[in-house]
Amino acid sequence: MKKITTIVCALIFVLLASCKTTEVKNNKPVIELKGNPTTGFTWIYEIEDDSIISIDEKQKYLGSNGSVGAPNLFTFTISPLNSGITTIKFEYKRSWETAPALETKLYKIIVDDNFNVEIIE
């Protein structure tokens, strides 16, 4: 019974962890992903070449009136450092577990010579 409950909970969390399209805010490109950190799951990212970009991460609580278990919006703002191409891999998982991620997202990031950033899903 415990295993079934865990599987059902994991499926619900995957549905909550949906991706919002990439967009530009304050002249910087962002990737927005929903998640529910009260479950222990969070978005963990890895930049293939961190000499090309840096990421500033912020979370916004999406619940109202302090409701417990409401999702958060994870906003990853991308800042160019050098021209080039790199990849960002996002995994929705619990950092202390060795189990595979519930969801994985890959983004190709292209920074041109004028420091314009293009995000390709």
Side-chain angles (χ1 to χ4, degrees):
M1 183 65 173
K2 184 177 179 182
K3 189 173 186 175
I4 292 172
T5 303
T6 302
I7 291 171
V8 170
C9 288
L11 291 173
I12 290 170
F13 299 142
V14 167
L15 294 175
L16 288 175
S18 62
C19 175
K20 197 174 178 184
T21 57
T22 58
E23 56 186 270
V24 176
K25 290 185 175 182
N26 299 323
N27 295 323
K28 290 197 175 186
V30 299
I31 297 171
E32 293 182 325
L33 303 168
K34 287 185 180 177
N36 194 333
T38 62
T39 62
F41 285 88
T42 190
W43 287 100
I44 299 169
Y45 67 87
E46 182 180 330
I47 303 171
E48 179 184 53
D49 183 348
D50 59 6
S51 71
I52 296 174
I53 60 166
S54 66
I55 294 180
D56 179 40
E57 178 185 350
K58 295 201 185 314
Q59 291 184 42
K60 180 181 177 184
Y61 177 72
L62 298 177
S64 60
N65 299 325
S67 57
V68 177
N72 282 13
L73 183 64
F74 293 77
T75 302
F76 301 92
T77 304
I78 298 171
S79 297
L81 302 173
N82 290 295
S83 61
I85 300 172
T86 190
T87 303
I88 307 171
K89 178 181 179 182
F90 290 93
E91 292 185 314
Y92 190 64
K93 62 188 283 183
R94 290 179 173 136
S95 61
W96 65 88
E97 291 184 341
T98 58
L102 290 180
E103 189 172 356
T104 301
K105 301 214 172 268
L106 290 172
Y107 295 90
K108 182 178 182 179
I109 310 297
I110 302 170
V111 179
D112 69 16
D113 291 336
N114 296 321
F115 288 92
N116 297 309
V117 178
E118 180 181 3
I119 301 173
I120 302 171
E121 285 187 60

